[in-house]
Amino acid sequence: MQDTSIQYDAVITVCRDLFVKKMKDYGSAWRILRLPSLTDQIFIKAQRIRSLQENEVRKVDEGEVPEFIGIINYSIMALIQLEKGVAEQPDLSSEEISVLYDKHIDITKTLMMNKNHDYGEAWRDMRVSSLTDLIIQKLLRVKQIEDNKGKTLVSEGIDANYQDMINYAVFAMIHLGEAK
C-alpha cells in the first residue's frame, strides 16, 4: 500500500500544479459557480472519457488523462464551494485556495487509504472503463442529491461522492500511467 500512497501523491502533484497555474491565469473566477454547475462540468469530462473509451475515432487529439485531471480539480472546487459557499465575485487569493486545495486532498487521501486498506486494493484489478462508470454513477447520485436540495435519508452526502470521484480518477490515472 506504500506504493499507492506514493503514486497517489504523484498524480495529485500533476493536478495541483495545473490548478495553481490556472489560478494564475484566471484567478478564482470559478468561485461564482454554483454546485450544479461544477457537477455538470465534471459530468462533461466523464462523458468525454467514456466516449474516448468507446469510440475508435478521435476528432480532438487529447486523451483521457487531461479529463481525469479536470475531474479531480473540479471536484476539489466543489468541495471548496461546499465549505465556503458560492461567492458573488472572486474572493480568495491563490494562497488561500492552495491551502484549501491541500486540506481537501488530505481529507480525501485519508479516506482513500482507509478504504484501500479495507478493500485490499481491489481497484488495482479494475479496468479504467469501470472507474469511469463509477464516476458517472457518483455524478448521477450527486445530481439527485442536488435535486433533493442536498438532503439524503440514509446515504452519504455530496462531499463523500466528490471525494470518491477524486479517488476513482486518481486510480484511473495510476492505471493509465502504468500502461505506458
Side-chain angles (χ1 to χ4, degrees):
M1 232 181 319
Q2 192 63 10
D3 284 349
T4 300
S5 180
I6 292 165
Q7 290 172 308
Y8 191 100
D9 291 345
V11 168
I12 293 302
T13 296
V14 169
C15 297
R16 189 183 187 285
D17 288 349
L18 181 62
F19 188 90
V20 168
K21 287 176 183 168
K22 286 195 175 202
M23 280 291 299
K24 287 186 167 103
D25 287 346
Y26 303 129
S28 63
W30 58 268
R31 286 281 294 129
I32 61 98
L33 294 173
R34 292 171 285 186
L35 217 52
S37 298
L38 289 165
T39 302
D40 286 344
Q41 286 298 310
I42 299 166
F43 188 77
I44 289 167
K45 301 284 183 195
Q47 282 297 114
R48 179 155 191 278
I49 293 167
R50 191 169 176 157
S51 292
L52 291 172
Q53 291 169 346
E54 293 177 352
N55 299 331
E56 291 184 26
V57 177
R58 293 183 179 186
K59 302 273 182 163
V60 179
D61 189 28
E62 288 181 357
E64 299 168 53
V65 170
E67 305 301 340
F68 281 118
I69 292 170
I71 288 170
I72 292 165
N73 285 342
Y74 277 116
S75 295
I76 289 293
M77 289 177 200
L79 290 168
I80 292 170
Q81 294 297 68
L82 278 169
E83 177 182 343
K84 303 296 274 179
V86 176
E88 294 295 318
Q89 293 289 323
D91 63 342
L92 297 174
S93 69
S94 294
E95 295 76 24
E96 291 170 306
I97 289 177
S98 292
V99 168
L100 290 167
Y101 189 105
D102 294 342
K103 170 187 170 185
H104 286 287
I105 282 298
D106 289 345
I107 292 167
T108 302
K109 182 181 178 187
T110 298
L111 173 69
M112 180 278 298
M113 293 300 288
N114 290 339
K115 284 185 175 183
N116 201 35
H117 175 271
D118 290 352
Y119 285 89
E121 296 208 315
W123 66 270
R124 290 206 180 265
D125 295 320
M126 294 177 68
R127 297 172 183 96
V128 174
S129 60
S130 296
L131 293 164
T132 302
D133 290 350
L134 288 170
I135 291 169
I136 292 171
Q137 177 193 39
K138 292 287 182 178
L139 284 160
L140 295 173
R141 288 179 178 180
V142 168
K143 285 182 175 198
Q144 184 62 51
I145 295 169
E146 289 170 350
D147 290 347
N148 293 340
K149 309 278 189 258
K151 304 283 186 235
T152 60
L153 298 175
V154 296
S155 304
E156 58 193 6
I158 289 177
D159 58 339
N161 284 283
Y162 283 122
Q163 291 167 335
D164 285 345
M165 285 185 258
I166 291 168
N167 288 332
Y168 293 148
V170 170
F171 294 156
M173 288 183 61
I174 291 169
H175 277 308
L176 291 169
E178 289 174 346
K180 292 180 181 180

